[in-house]
Amino acid sequence: MLRVVGQLAALVVVFVVFRWLIGNLVTNYSRLNIGFDFGFLNVPTQFQIAYHPEFNPRLPVWRMVLVGVKNTGLAAMFGIAVAGVLGLVIGIGRLSQNWLAAKLSAAYVEFFRNIPPLVAIVFFSFAVFLYGPLPHLRDAIEVGLPGTASTLLVLSNGEWGVPGLRNTGNAPLFGVLALVAVAASAAVWVWRTRVNERSGEPHHRVLWSLGVLAVVLVGAYVILDGPVVIDWPQLSENRRRLASGFSVNSGFMSVAGALGLYTASHVAEIIRGSILAVPWGQTEAANALALTNFQRYRFVVLPQAMRIAIPPLINQALNLTKNTSLAVAVGYAEITTLTQTSIGNGRPAVQSIVILMLVYLGFSLLISLILNIVNRRLQLVTR
Amino acid sequence: MQRRLLALLAVLALVAAACTTGDTADTVPVTDGGADDTSADTTPPDTGDTDETTDTTPAVLPQDEGGILAAVRDRGAVRCGVNDVLPGFGIVDENGEYSGFDIDFCRVVAAGVLGDPDAVEFVPLTAEARFTALQGGEIDVLIRNTTWTATRDGQEGATFLHTTFYDGQGMMVPASTGFTTLEDLADATICVLQGTTTELNLTAVFNARGIPFNPMTHADNETLQPAYESGQCEGWTSDVSQLTAFKASIEEAGGEEQYIMAEVFSKEPLGPAVPDGDSAWAQAVDWSILATIQAWEFGLTSENIGSYDGDDPNILNFLGTDGFDPGLGLAPDFAVTIVESVGNYQEIFERHLAPIGLELEGSPNDLWTNGGLMYAPPYR
């Protein structure tokens, strides 16, 4: 009974505090004759977004929010990929018998773990782009594709051009078919696994599912008469922008790259700790079976280490996503930068911040959800 | 058990309701106290003669008896909202002393209203906080390189007075590029400060002319300047007065020679603003500022105004020597006090804006008799 009262009291306190905060806002807003509504989402954005020539300033503010969400998502995805791969390599490297590899990995971890992420981003932007070795776009380095007239890469201090995909008419349909192909190959994977479990015949599931994927994709590509073609990067006539290809700007690379490098140091420590947490007997058993180093990690140590590593790795993924808000310092057009610009241009601050919070909350919940599913799959099933 | 729980819930809900109504009613005095505290904090310590009442009573609003003019006289000081980080216009030196073009106009108002150019409490404000401070009565007058716009006159509850500086947005490019018009910058990346009217003007002008461009926005000039100097952006847009200061600093530091395009593509009249609804105070501030322009037109400077011995009736009226009083609530000799202690418009301009590279002659800020826009209504 006492416990119930305690919990109710806590609930009431939370409610009162929240109510007070909202009441405060409403009272002060009405005193200043300002309403609390979200109608501003439908008025024109009025400013041009950097490296988004297709964005028209007359589009409503909610479209600007979508651009911001997209850019935050891209930076977070790229950053998480870099941090994950690099962190895994360095984490294993720290435990290596190779003196140089171990020391280099330790130095990397100590360096990146001990600088603030904002400093890393600004340093990256200054060292690689602003004062870096790359020329201005008009004198950009164009790396040709050997044997053809196409350009593979355009490198400058403002943006890089990489090959992209161009829609020749049927791309959306092809996208749907690509999803079908992925689903089909996943189904085949499951089927082969079952076959293997039931009859013991070799599953060859990688070959099977890749084969299905390739057959469906190639079939769709041929039937739809080449729905997408590779869009090689090329500079415009006046050499001031990319006329074609996929543009990656310096802000994106500074944010995603610096955060990836920074977070990799944390990931490496988590990986190292998780590997050390796997009982030594497992390694000895693997050695007794004469497994190679790679086999020992791939089949014995890492599957068990990952079980320990996943929950703290979720935290790192969330941190990296939230740290993309530091892009304000280098002017990358992600959601925080755009929200600040928008507030500076007269959009209501409180409402804009509420939307900003909801966006980050959405990202965090999504990442937690995905990684929690992975976590559940990896957990030991005990009877 | 269940019933007892329900009863308990009901009681708690009642308590909660009582608490919340009490709390919301309390919010107004609480926030007022907070606002006053900040104004007390930001006030420089050397004006220690402020009476205790400013800390406890709500701010003086225009509708209060006597208005702002009476409140300023009671207090013995003008509270002036200023910029403290813009070279030339308003900046604080290492001794905590304010100086600059806008700062001098605060002193002009103090000299005109109170007869003492040092009777000013400077309240440094950010761009976002300035109108809130004016609406809330935290300051009496806002002189902070503020552009006079319709929205600010309307929604922000400010009354703008005579413009002290006609500015406009311009474009700077490295001189070696040879670019002279905005059309030369088609498809180019252009540096601009984030979240400013400058950014909106840039978009508006380029879109209106159908010139494609790519903005490179940074939150502050410390990262914007390296982006421009490294050539990441080919043009830098801002108010001409600020570009002039940046041009000087880049060239002084040994950087490339810079060129500011002749074309000015926005109107930025910077001037003082007072709260809506107190015309007596507005007139007092306005005529104090106009006195500096009128003195310039008459050729009166801080050196010679005290020793004027001519018999031009207009000038004698202006000096108040014959006791002429147009009823503005200012001392008859307020113009003498202003010009003697601070100077005429030209002197103030030459003191603060010439050093950062701005020219008075031939600019819109020249006297109307020289083709400029500085024009004071007749003082009679």
Side-chain angles (χ1 to χ4, degrees), chain A residues 105-140:
Chain A
S105 304
Y108 179 93
V109 168
E110 288 309 326
F111 179 73
F112 276 102
R113 200 171 52 165
N114 291 309
I115 54 173
L118 177 64
V119 175
I121 291 173
V122 173
F123 181 79
F124 198 100
S125 158
F126 274 40
V128 179
F129 297 105
L130 287 189
Y131 298 119
L134 293 168
H136 185 265
L137 196 61
R138 76 180 89 85
D139 314 311

Side-chain angles (χ1 to χ4, degrees), chain A residues 307-383:
Chain A
R307 234 169 249 155
I308 305 162
I310 289 279
L313 285 181
I314 297 178
N315 269 334
Q316 293 305 326
L318 295 185
N319 278 344
L320 191 144
T321 307
K322 288 181 284 185
N323 280 341
T324 55
S325 59
L326 297 171
V328 170
V330 290
Y332 174 55
E334 47 72 67
I335 186 69
T336 306
T337 307
L338 290 181
T339 303
Q340 285 198 356
T341 306
S342 176
I343 293 174
N345 288 334
R347 306 284 164 250
V350 178
Q351 289 95 311
S352 300
I353 298 288
V354 166
I355 291 176
L356 186 62
M357 290 196 293
L358 290 178
V359 167
Y360 282 110
L361 185 68
F363 270 114
S364 294
L365 290 179
L366 185 70
I367 292 172
S368 302
L369 181 75
I370 294 172
L371 287 176
N372 273 320
I373 291 173
V374 173
N375 192 28
R376 206 163 308 141
R377 293 292 303 272
L378 285 178
Q379 284 312 310
L380 264 188
V381 184
T382 49
R383 290 163 225 261

Side-chain angles (χ1 to χ4, degrees), chain B residues 76-87:
Chain B
V78 175
R79 291 178 306 187
C80 193
V82 298
N83 196 336
D84 58 350
V85 289
L86 184 60

Side-chain angles (χ1 to χ4, degrees), chain A residues 4 19-20 23-24 28 46-48 50-51 57 130-131 136 157 238 240-241 250 329-331 337 340-341 344-345, chain B residues 5 20 23-24 27 31 179 184-187 194-196 199-200 203 207 213-215 217-218 226-227 230-232 234:
Chain A
V4 173
R19 180 66 220 281
W20 178 75
N24 211 352
N28 286 316
Q46 286 190 324
F47 61 88
Q48 184 70 46
Y51 294 109
L130 287 189
Y131 298 119
H136 185 265
N157 66 0
N238 56 14
R240 273 187 173 147
R241 62 184 174 86
S250 61
V330 290
T337 307
Q340 285 198 356
T341 306
N345 288 334
Chain B
L5 246 180
T20 41
D23 281 338
T24 34
T27 47
T31 44
F179 299 150
D184 290 336
L185 288 170
D187 279 333
Q194 182 191 83
T196 54
E199 193 181 359
L200 296 189
T203 309
N207 279 14
F213 76 107
N214 177 37
T217 55
H218 281 264
S230 76
Q232 239 189 15
E234 295 183 62

Side-chain angles (χ1 to χ4, degrees), chain B residues 274-298:
Chain B
V274 296
D276 267 347
D278 190 337
S279 51
W281 172 242
Q283 285 163 5
V285 173
D286 213 7
W287 280 96
S288 298
I289 283 162
L290 288 169
T292 63
I293 299 169
Q294 187 64 68
W296 180 21
E297 190 187 330
F298 283 147

Side-chain angles (χ1 to χ4, degrees), chain A residues 78-122:
Chain A
F78 188 76
I80 289 173
V82 170
V85 173
L86 200 60
L88 184 67
V89 171
I90 290 171
I92 295 174
R94 279 203 77 174
L95 296 171
S96 166
Q97 307 285 331
N98 183 324
W99 184 86
L100 185 64
K103 291 298 167 206
L104 276 182
S105 304
Y108 179 93
V109 168
E110 288 309 326
F111 179 73
F112 276 102
R113 200 171 52 165
N114 291 309
I115 54 173
L118 177 64
V119 175
I121 291 173
V122 173

Side-chain angles (χ1 to χ4, degrees), chain B residues 46-62:
Chain B
D46 55 314
T47 50
D49 58 341
T50 17
D51 43 347
E52 285 298 309
T53 49
T54 40
D55 289 293
T56 46
T57 53
V60 181
L61 291 171

